[in-house]
Amino acid sequence: MSAASLHLAVALDGAGWHPAAWRDPAAFPKDLFTAAYWAALVAEAERGLLDFVTIEDSLALQSTRHEGPDGRTDQVRGRFDALLVASRIAPLTGRIGLVPTVTTTHTEPFHIASGLATLDYVSGGRAGWRAQVSGRGAEAAHFGRRDIPGLRPESLDDPETVRLIHELFDEAADVVEVVRRLWDSWEDDAVIRDVPTGRFVDRDRLHYIDFEGSRFSVKGPSIVPRPPQGQPPVTALAHARVPYEFAARGADVVYVTPHDAEQARAIVEEVRGIGNDVLKIFADLVVYVGEDARERKARLDELDGAGHVSDAAIFTGTPGELADLILDWRRAGLEGFRLRPAVLPTDLGAITRRLVPELQRRGAFRSGYEAATLRGHLGLPRPAGRYAGSRR
């Protein structure tokens, strides 16, 4: 395995992925709602040469309940808008990719396209997108445009729930398609800035996208010229067949949640079997890293009143043990890992200052950035615009 072939990212969420992370002695709860806090986290991730960071977001307050608020006041509640955080951080960083979460279900595709294209410009070609559906009635109630009964884990086999899942992901696929078309609606050379003739743009190189779907139609073109990357990478978290198909249809990176190497191999085979051979497959892992990892987790579990559970596998151990696990699972066909630090900044620092050097010593991770864009980090070529050469 070459050093360039392993991709590492981190998922940033509040004070960390443990519900009681904000109560850890090393946490900074007073700083959570400051730009400096997020800038410091991303700077640390860049110090570790990570491919990108994702920034979590949602259209409802955090809750232990799947539907609606839980009334708890002993866990972090409230968050910043992920896309705006990424835009604030972009000028303060130079190489690392910035991948905010933006929901497809209630957000206009035109706004998603223009916001992410702007992020790509202000970051110099380092923007990405974690596309996320919303299956919660409480989130739909913020907008008043539609009723969503809510997806509950115990009802996933119910025919009405299955229908809603397909509807949400079909809609998300349409949103991704529209966003991609809007990014291409300006040809690369549409902005000409010809002072002598007084022509700033070549109008023949801007294109209508004329999308007609079951829930919306979008005329185009975008208000933002084609992004520096052409197409900022689209990513998605997936746990089952329908979201796997969504990712294979429109994403560049999919995050999956195996709990061992055998399951990782089975998921890779299933995703590859859908037919997208260029989709990058990353495994998500919640990580407590260090010699005191188990003790820290036990202390936080006690504070929270329950053991930490997650959709992703939970790792507790030393940097060397985490490197062993990563390289073992890597042989199952995974191309990267999105690590979810249990406590920030503690476990992020352990990733950048201890795990990364360990992987470098084993010849499994790069010693410096080799590209300037997120597509470059991921080994994705810059695509040609779909409308290039066509004229109005």
Side-chain angles (χ1 to χ4, degrees), residues 207-222:
H207 302 276
Y208 297 122
I209 69 167
D210 291 321
F211 180 88
E212 296 283 346
S214 61
R215 286 203 168 270
F216 51 80
S217 61
V218 179
K219 182 70 175 177
S222 175

Side-chain angles (χ1 to χ4, degrees), residues 247-278:
R249 178 176 169 183
D252 300 289
V253 177
V254 62
Y255 315 115
V256 297
T257 54
H259 284 249
D260 56 42
E262 182 178 351
Q263 192 177 39
R265 185 171 291 104
I267 291 173
V268 169
E269 290 177 359
E270 181 175 2
V271 173
R272 289 283 176 242
I274 296 172
N276 185 341
D277 293 334
V278 299

Side-chain angles (χ1 to χ4, degrees), residues 284-339:
D284 268 22
L285 282 171
V286 177
V287 296
Y288 300 78
V289 187
E291 286 70 21
D292 63 344
R294 291 173 178 81
E295 291 77 12
R296 288 193 294 114
K297 179 180 181 299
R299 183 169 62 249
L300 292 172
D301 287 346
E302 183 177 1
L303 287 170
D304 193 49
H308 187 191
V309 296
S310 173
D311 59 317
I314 297 176
F315 169 86
T316 55
T318 66
E321 291 167 340
L322 181 53
D324 290 341
L325 182 149
I326 285 173
L327 297 183
D328 180 37
W329 289 21
R330 174 70 178 80
R331 286 187 281 272
L334 296 167
E335 290 153 290
F337 293 81
R338 187 176 71 137
L339 305 178

Side-chain angles (χ1 to χ4, degrees), residues 67-229:
E67 186 63 60
D70 57 10
R72 293 187 68 160
T73 59
D74 62 335
Q75 297 178 355
V76 171
R77 295 294 182 263
R79 62 169 85 246
F80 282 167
D81 180 284
L83 180 52
L84 295 180
V85 169
S87 295
R88 174 65 180 87
I89 292 167
L92 307 178
T93 55
R95 291 296 189 92
I96 193 165
L98 303 170
V99 183
T101 300
V102 183
T103 303
T104 59
T105 310
H106 304 292
T107 315
E108 295 292 343
F110 191 89
H111 294 153
I112 297 174
S114 58
L116 290 167
T118 301
L119 175 61
D120 208 40
Y121 273 100
V122 300
S123 67
R126 295 180 287 120
W129 172 26
R130 186 169 94 80
Q132 175 175 270
V133 303
S134 168
R136 293 179 168 86
E139 296 186 6
H142 293 319
F143 301 89
R145 298 174 184 167
R146 61 202 286 193
D147 291 326
I148 292 181
L151 299 176
R152 293 177 174 81
E154 66 272 14
S155 64
L156 292 181
D157 294 329
D158 177 77
E160 182 60 23
T161 299
V162 171
R163 182 200 63 77
L164 177 59
I165 290 171
H166 281 274
E167 177 185 310
L168 290 173
F169 280 99
D170 285 346
E171 178 185 33
D174 283 349
V175 171
V176 171
E177 174 64 18
V178 168
V179 169
R180 288 193 180 278
R181 289 191 195 185
L182 286 168
W183 285 338
D184 280 348
S185 64
W186 291 57
E187 295 185 36
D188 287 323
D189 52 359
V191 180
I192 54 178
R193 304 181 182 92
D194 190 341
V195 174
T197 64
R199 295 173 68 226
F200 188 82
V201 298
D202 183 341
R203 189 61 184 84
D204 288 337
R205 296 176 185 178
L206 274 64
H207 302 276
Y208 297 122
I209 69 167
D210 291 321
F211 180 88
E212 296 283 346
S214 61
R215 286 203 168 270
F216 51 80
S217 61
V218 179
K219 182 70 175 177
S222 175
I223 59 171
V224 183
R226 193 165 192 245
Q229 294 182 98

